[in-house]
Structures are given as C-alpha cells and as structure tokens.
Amino acid sequence: MGTGRWLGFLLILALSASFAESKYLKYKDSKQPLGARIKDLMKRMTLAEKIGQMTQIERAVASADVVKQYYIGSILSGGGSTPGLRSTASDWVNMVNNYQHGALSTRLGIPMIYGIDAVHGHNTVYNATIFPHNVGLGVTRQDALIIIIDLDPELVKKIGAATALEVRATGIPYVFAPCIAVCRDPRWGRCYESYSEDHSIVQLMTEIITGLQGEIPKNSKKGVPFVDWKKNKVAACAKHYVGDGGTNKGVNEDNTIINKQGLFGIHMPAYLNSIVKGVSTVMISYSSWNGVKMHANHELITNVLKGKLRFRGFVISDYEGIDRITSPPHANYSYSIEQSINAGLDMIMVPDNYNEFIGGLTNLIAKKAISMSRIDDAVKRILRVKFTMGLFENPLADTSLSSKIGCQEHRDLARRAVRESLVLLKNEKIGSGRRMLPLPKKADKILVVGTHADNLGNQCGGWTIEWQGVTGNGLTSGTTILSAVKSAVDSKTQVVFAENPDENFVKNGGFSYALVVVGEQPYAETKGDSQDLTLSEPGPAIIKNTCGVIDCVVVLVTGRPVVIQPYLSSMKALVAAWLPGTEGQGVSDVIFGDYGFTGKLARTWFKTTDQLPMNVGDLHYDPLFPFGYGIETKAI
Ligand code: GLC
C-alpha cells in the first residue's frame, strides 16, 4: 500500500479512535471507580450545571422543562404535596419519571433525585402503612433501663426496610428521615418526631438508617454514603443538625443555649452513629446554637461534620432554611446564600424561588464571595450520593412494587410496633379483686368514649397525608381503636360508642367498664408548640364524666407527655399510646391481654409544666412518672 494510502488509513484510524473516545463517557461507565466517575463528570460540567445540582425545588413549581432548562439536581414533595388526591403508586411513578426525563434530556444527562418526608412510613401516600411516630418507637421493648437498654433496634430496622419498600414503590429514592432530634422539652411541637430525651436511645434508633439504606459493607470507608439499590433501599437523611430538640422552652426553630460539652454530649452522638451507618445526607436545623444560626454555622458544618466526623455525603438545608438566617426571613437573600454555602451547605431546599437562588449564587461566585472549590466540594458530594446509590444506572422507576404499599406484612409489623410502644402507667385493682387491665373480652355491655377512639387522623397525628395531619376518618386506610375493640371482644359483648357522653348516660347505661381514648389534635412543627401541654378539649370533661362514674381505663393518644395529674385519681388504669398510626389493633391486642405491656417511658412524664425542662439525670428530678417507668404485664 502507497505512503499516501497508509497515511489516509492511519488518519481514519485516528479519527475513529477519537470519535470512539468522544462517544465513551467515563462517568457513565459503572465499571469505573467512583472517584474516576466523579472526576470525569466534574470536568465536563459548566458552572450552570454545577449550580443546578445544588438546587432542590418543590414539585409544585417543577416541570420537565424547568428541570432541563436549569439543570435541577433535586425535587421534593413538601408536607402533603402529592400529584393529586389519593394518588396511586403509578400516579407517583409517572410524576417522578416525568421530571426525570427532563433531567436525562440535559447535555450530560445527570439524573435528579426526588426526596420526600417518610417519617413514620410513607406518610404522604394514600393507603401507605403509617407506623407509630418516633416518640412511641423510642419506647419499644426496653429492659431495666438503668442497667441495660435492651431496645429493639431490630424492630426499627424492619420499619426502615418496610418504609423504603413503600417509598420505592412510588418511584422515590430519597427520604428526609430519620429525625434524630433529642427532645429535651415536651413543649416543642416536634417532640413526637424525637425517639427520646436520652441520646443513647436515639443512637440505638439510628438502626432505622440501616433499614432504609441497607447494611453498609464491612470494608466501607467511614463516612461514605451507602444505599443498596438492588434491595429496594432509599437514601436517608439524618436531621436536623444539630441541637434542634434543645431550644429554649421548646420554642420551634429557636435558640439552643448550651455549652459545647452539652451540645456534643446530648445532641451530637446520634450523628456519629448515623455516619458510621453510611447515612447519605444530613439536613441542617432551623435553630441556632448560642445565637448562631445553624444554617450559617461553618464551625459545626464544615469543621466538625465534614472535618472531624468525616461525613462524605451531602448536607442539605431545611425548607427555606437559608431564608431564615435573617430576621425577617428573606430580608437579604444574597447574604443568606453566601452565609449558608460558605458554611458548608451543599444542596439548598429553596424550594420555590429557584431563579432568585440560581441568579444569586451565580453572582456571588462571579464576585468571588463564594469560591469554586466550595462549589466543587458541594457538587462532588451530591454526585457521590447519586453514583453510590445507582441513580445513574437506574434513573427511571416502574410500578413493580405497587403491591407493597400498605401490604398486610407491613401492617402486621406496624401493629407489633404499636403493641411494643404502649406504656402502662397505672393499673389498680377493681371490685372483683383483679386489676383493671387486661380488660375482659366477655362482658354484657362495655362503653368506649373519647375524641380519639374512632378517629384515624387523630391516632396518626401530624405528617400524615397532610403536613399538619388530618383529624377524622377517610384520610387513608387503617383501623381505629374502636374498630379494633369491636373485633377483639367476644361476639356476645355489646360495644357502645359515645364520643363525648354526659354523666347520666354513663351512669344509667349498665356498662361493665369504660375505655376512654383522648389526646391531642394533630399538629406539626411550630403549630404544635405548647406552653401549657393540656389535653385537647373536651378530653378532660370526657374523663371526668366517665371515670368519675364507672371503672375506666384511659388511653392517651398524644405526641408527648401532657398534663394528666389532675385526673389521675379518677382512673383505674392509664396507658400512654403516643401516636400509633393506622394499626389500632396494636392497642386492643394489649389492653385485652393477647400480649403483655412491655414499654418503658423514653421520656420523663412531668407533674406540672413549671417543672420544665426536666430530663432524666437532672439534679432536681420530681416527675409524675420517671424516665424508664412502665408496668409490665403478661399475656393471658
Ligand atoms: C420541614 C421540616 C423538615 C422537612 C422539610 C421538608 O419544614 O423542618 O423536617 O424534612 O421541611 O418537608
């Protein structure tokens, strides 16, 4: 072959090689090491594409076009934000896939990650299993609390796995859970999202992360995020970093006034457990520490969380969290962006004004108020989570897991969690010489009263279908405590229900005994802040009109300890049921003796609110029921 032809041949060879090279995208090759994929992708990204990855927007302002145009890296459902009323799994999957197509159609095709609050099951989704809120889970199966905390982390791990399955069934790969707050004052409206006032219980409960994300491989590098995609797991989020449960008087989003030893000794330990378990993300708290907003706290976010604790996932803001750096919120948005990104936040839950955020951040980088190295750190962390969880290989969801939503196996697990979350606080002898509990299934006629006996929304509490929860029935599927009682008693036993009876009705009804189910109306976040912690009306009157007349057991459905001492002497038995969720049979299983009471208080039960804050270990400690208290009974 002549020289010219040889040269022509070599040229074609070189061109085809470079063409092949340009077609081959290392970051898309799952056989490549994680670091190589991140490096390859980073070097291809423009500034706009990097800023897009740091931007999380609410689904209500999102569309495939917006995602494509602004290279949006993440979308969320805020509390109660759904594709429609009673949306099905395929409604959710279609919605998430639609946004994902927008992301995949960008130049580099980086998949977006969709996040949602699944804090006691997949609580936004109709027909999903709603588990007890964390305040109840922190109670499950403790023995001799002073000596050994025999908590059942296996139970919360199973709950995490069930929740992950139901979340993935809707096409969502990321949850803003668990909340690992250590609630130190029950006046805080989010105390029910906290497992305990004792950090050691919260640390044990971080096992839910393993349920959500999967077992982290033994040889994993500390702090590196891990999600077992093939086992239908999701990325988790330890929140809210740090000290959210320690604010002054329990005022939500307020100031946590405590020295470094106290902050690191009480509020920090569960983050260490979470990082060791490979938690993928950490959400920053709205609150302040000694007057410094957490969303602007470089020392605790960059130097401690990312430095000393070597957290390698990404740090996300709370909803409009950067806006609230200033007072009033959003007063100086450019300052908020600068402070939060330079403090070490990687992804910003904007969630609506993404134009303003993207424009503001772009300007601050242009002015060198924020360095490119800070931006690259943020984007690397976001990509690390997306690559690690397999989102590049599996960006689109399907409806193959639809049957897992609210499946019987999960409801049975939730029923078990309800049983083990109940705490028996009083159980006196009655006329016949036996103790009030367990109740006999055989009786001529029994009375069930109270605002929470036949009210699924009240027994689920906040963060259920709606952000603030929904009182009443019909919000989703489940079993009320009344329905559970009717199924549990002997077929010949007549069950009479009266939500708010007067004394005469109780006196003249010929009832063998009464079950009183009262508590708090649903609430979430600041709406739940309470300085007086009283039972929702007409709870006190119902107790008086019923327990003052016949033998009664009171079941409290509350997100925290409430004022109960004034009514205690009138009741023969008292049970704390917290916020049990959809499976009310867990309550009837135990009050009728099919199972024994095993729960021990994971929170101190005060006498009066002027004692607060009062926690186990305090010098002045004079509770109505102490931390770790709970009467045990045997199944009959
Ligand atoms: C809320 C909560 C946070 C939640 C986020 C998204 O305000 O503070 O716990 O994950 O916004 O809904």
Side-chain angles (χ1 to χ4, degrees), residues 76-79 117 119 176 190 193 239-240 253 283 286 318-319 324 349 463 467 525:
L76 84 143
S77 273
D117 293 276
V119 294
F176 306 127
R190 306 194 71 167
E193 297 183 62
K239 70 182 189 181
H240 313 78
E253 303 188 20
M283 185 183 293
Y286 287 122
D318 203 333
Y319 192 99
R324 300 181 199 179
M349 190 184 286
W463 290 106
W467 174 43
E525 302 193 48

Side-chain angles (χ1 to χ4, degrees), residues 157 160-161 163-164 175 177-178 208-214 232-236:
K157 185 156 86 172
T163 302
V175 296
I208 195 165
I209 293 169
T210 306
L212 288 167
Q213 296 194 155
N232 295 314
K233 300 299 184 182
V234 294

Side-chain angles (χ1 to χ4, degrees), residues 138-431:
V139 163
T140 54
R141 270 196 44 217
Q142 298 169 54
D143 291 334
L145 207 93
I146 312 301
I147 305 156
I148 306 157
I149 292 178
D150 169 27
L151 271 177
D152 188 8
E154 273 313 302
L155 175 61
V156 284
K157 185 156 86 172
K158 289 191 178 94
I159 290 172
T163 302
L165 255 180
E166 297 197 27
V167 171
R168 285 287 301 277
T170 58
I172 297 172
Y174 175 31
V175 296
F176 306 127
C179 175
I180 55 174
V182 182
C183 172
R184 302 289 286 174
D185 192 322
R187 291 174 290 188
W188 186 37
R190 306 194 71 167
C191 207
Y192 66 76
E193 297 183 62
S194 167
Y195 293 106
S196 176
E197 67 191 40
D198 183 326
H199 65 81
S200 50
I201 289 182
V202 179
Q203 287 178 263
L204 280 158
M205 292 290 119
T206 57
E207 193 58 16
I208 195 165
I209 293 169
T210 306
L212 288 167
Q213 296 194 155
E215 298 283 348
I216 187 164
K218 292 276 176 288
N219 57 353
S220 295
K221 259 201 292 189
K222 182 177 176 243
V224 174
F226 173 76
V227 177
D228 191 338
W229 187 269
K230 291 190 174 58
K231 293 222 172 98
N232 295 314
K233 300 299 184 182
V234 294
C237 177
K239 70 182 189 181
H240 313 78
Y241 184 85
V242 64
D244 50 348
T247 56
N248 186 37
K249 294 187 181 146
V251 176
N252 191 41
E253 303 188 20
D254 203 74
N255 194 15
T256 296
I257 305 163
I258 190 168
N259 63 24
K260 190 168 185 177
Q261 188 196 353
L263 186 81
F264 280 64
I266 296 170
H267 300 283
M268 193 64 86
Y271 285 92
L272 280 69
N273 299 79
S274 302
I275 291 167
V276 165
K277 286 166 182 170
V279 73
S280 298
T281 71
V282 169
M283 185 183 293
I284 301 303
S285 176
Y286 287 122
S287 57
S288 304
W289 177 42
N290 294 338
V292 178
K293 284 278 181 181
M294 276 309 307
H295 274 78
N297 198 314
H298 180 271
E299 171 58 25
L300 288 177
I301 298 171
T302 297
N303 297 350
V304 174
L305 179 62
K306 293 183 171 181
K308 289 200 179 71
L309 303 185
R310 295 196 49 65
F311 173 64
R312 309 286 300 282
F314 68 78
V315 176
I316 186 168
S317 80
D318 203 333
Y319 192 99
E320 294 179 351
I322 69 170
D323 306 54
R324 300 181 199 179
I325 287 174
T326 58
S327 179
H330 207 82
N332 182 343
Y333 199 52
S334 177
Y335 172 79
S336 287
I337 298 171
E338 183 180 353
Q339 286 292 309
S340 56
I341 300 298
N342 282 337
L345 275 93
D346 303 313
M347 183 180 282
I348 303 301
M349 190 184 286
V350 177
D352 300 330
N353 53 320
Y354 52 87
N355 266 310
E356 188 184 8
F357 171 70
I358 291 169
L361 180 50
T362 306
N363 291 340
L364 286 162
I365 295 166
K367 290 191 307 190
K368 300 200 181 321
I370 294 176
S371 70
M372 271 315 295
S373 64
R374 177 66 275 274
I375 298 300
D376 287 343
D377 172 58
V379 177
K380 262 182 211 155
R381 289 168 175 273
I382 293 165
L383 295 180
R384 183 177 293 132
V385 171
K386 291 185 175 182
F387 278 125
T388 308
M389 67 192 290
L391 209 48
F392 278 80
E393 283 67 50
N394 311 281
L396 295 170
D398 61 42
T399 54
S400 58
L401 295 171
S402 301
S403 64
K404 297 298 182 188
I405 293 177
C407 66
Q408 196 52 50
E409 183 190 350
H410 293 173
R411 290 184 187 276
D412 292 344
L413 178 65
R415 180 172 177 171
R416 173 191 160 196
V418 173
R419 288 197 294 266
E420 296 184 21
S421 67
L422 304 180
V423 184
L424 181 56
L425 297 171
K426 180 179 182 182
N427 192 20
E428 277 185 347
K429 285 188 176 168
I430 54 176

